[in-house]
């Protein structure tokens, strides 16, 4: 079974530029999550999708971050414009439908973003 | 609201020694508790989870954790460390009815030959 795929694995940009990350979840997983993991901290949930609908985006900085999952499969996370404090690893995870507490989340390898 | 505190950002043990990684939680509702492991340049992998059934939870790779409500703790242990256990370990909490996970800041485990 293929795991969660993410690309690119690494990205370096200058502040005020835009960047996009892509995630393809495990086949059949209706729930998709994006996390931000700043160096030295644990992952923080940015947004959760159930199919193509948003379940929770309470911690997404909506003035600069956006995410979509138009067909309920793969997803993109965009930052526009980027700030220095956005430097982090962005993790995508997927799970079967249901609450995050009940169903195991499977994580991708992450995209490491460096903002200069 | 839920949160977890991991005591010790770095832990070193000798190969074959006991591994003990500490996690204390705070939750206003019955919690679900999790331990994840992250190897370098990889995503997180679930080691084990507590979902209000047995208080002693066994996970993969010989790890286990015990839920102690009186101490609000969920410490991770392994009787004998292997070199392959060197990684970052994260404790996380979630409400049993919710979707939001709250991760700790992680503990980096080093295994000394």
């Amino acid at each position: 079974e293929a795991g969660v795929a993410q690309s690119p694995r690494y990205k370096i940009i200058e502040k005020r530029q835009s960047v996009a990350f892509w995630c393809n979840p495990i086949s059949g997983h209706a729930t998709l999550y994006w996390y931000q993991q700043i160096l030295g901290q644990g992952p923080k949930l940015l947004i959760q999708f159930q199919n193509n609908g948003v379940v929770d985006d309470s911690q997404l900085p909506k003035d600069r971050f956006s995410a979509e999952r138009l067909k309920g499969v793969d997803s993109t996370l965009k930052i526009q414009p980027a700030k220095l404090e956005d430097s982090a690893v962005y993790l995508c995870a997927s799970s079967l439908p249901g609450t995050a507490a009940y169903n195991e989340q499977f994580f991708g390898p992450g995209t490491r973003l460096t903002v200069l | 609201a839920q949160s977890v505190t991991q005591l010790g950002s770095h832990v070193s043990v000798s190969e074959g020694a006991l591994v003990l990684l500490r996690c204390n939680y705070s939750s206003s509702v019955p919690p679900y508790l999790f331990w994840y492991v992250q190897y370098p340049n990889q995503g997180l992998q679930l080691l084990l989870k507590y979902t209000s059934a047995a208080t002693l939870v066994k996970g993969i790779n010989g790890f286990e954790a015990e839920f102690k409500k009186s101490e609000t703790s969920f410490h991770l242990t392994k009787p004998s460390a292997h070199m392959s256990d060197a990684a970052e370990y994260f404790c996380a909490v979630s409400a049993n009815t919710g979707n939001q996970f709250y991760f700790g800041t992680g503990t980096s485990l080093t295994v000394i030959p």
Side-chain angles (χ1 to χ4, degrees):
Chain A
E1 175 182 271
V4 177
Q6 291 188 248
S7 66
R9 292 295 311 277
Y10 305 91
K11 189 73 176 179
I12 300 174
I13 63 172
E14 295 187 352
K15 59 183 179 183
R16 291 187 289 273
Q17 286 187 323
S18 301
V19 65
F21 313 127
W22 175 80
C23 172
N24 193 29
I26 293 173
S27 178
H29 281 192
T31 307
L32 185 146
Y33 312 81
W34 282 103
Y35 289 86
Q36 180 192 56
Q37 186 178 14
I38 294 173
L39 186 64
Q41 299 181 20
K44 181 183 80 172
L45 180 68
L46 292 176
I47 189 167
Q48 177 187 350
F49 291 95
Q50 179 83 5
N51 296 308
N52 60 353
V54 175
V55 174
D56 185 345
D57 63 356
S58 57
Q59 297 195 89
L60 185 74
K62 298 180 184 66
D63 58 333
R64 298 185 299 105
F65 286 65
S66 65
E68 60 183 15
R69 194 184 185 200
L70 294 176
K71 296 182 179 179
V73 181
D74 57 346
S75 175
T76 55
L77 176 69
K78 297 179 181 178
I79 308 175
Q80 181 180 8
K83 293 185 176 181
L84 296 177
E85 58 261 36
D86 298 332
S87 294
V89 175
Y90 291 85
L91 296 167
C92 179
S94 70
S95 72
L96 292 171
T99 64
Y102 187 78
N103 289 306
E104 180 178 352
Q105 297 181 51
F106 293 83
F107 285 80
T111 296
R112 183 177 299 276
L113 173 67
T114 301
V115 182
L116 303 176
Chain B
Q2 294 85 38
S3 66
V4 291
T5 301
Q6 291 185 241
L7 300 176
S9 58
H10 298 276
V11 170
S12 293
V13 300
S14 297
E15 191 174 15
L18 172 71
V19 176
L20 171 60
L21 304 183
R22 299 179 186 275
C23 173
N24 288 89
Y25 70 90
S26 173
S27 180
S28 56
V29 297
Y32 282 8
L33 293 158
F34 307 80
W35 276 100
Y36 281 84
V37 61
Q38 186 176 32
Y39 298 102
N41 298 315
Q42 296 186 27
L44 281 73
Q45 179 184 8
L46 181 66
L47 277 177
L48 49 81
K49 68 178 181 180
Y50 165 77
T51 56
S52 75
T55 56
L56 182 62
V57 182
K58 294 187 183 299
I60 62 172
N61 301 337
F63 285 93
E64 64 181 35
E66 185 172 9
F67 173 71
K68 292 186 176 181
K69 185 177 180 180
S70 61
E71 299 177 7
T72 61
S73 69
F74 190 59
H75 301 330
L76 181 71
T77 61
K78 182 174 180 178
S80 176
H82 295 167
M83 295 298 295
S84 59
D85 295 327
E88 188 87 15
Y89 291 80
F90 292 93
C91 181
V93 64
S94 179
N96 59 3
T97 56
N99 294 298
Q100 183 64 265
F101 267 50
Y102 297 91
F103 284 87
T105 52
T107 297
S108 178
L109 176 66
T110 299
V111 181
I112 303 167

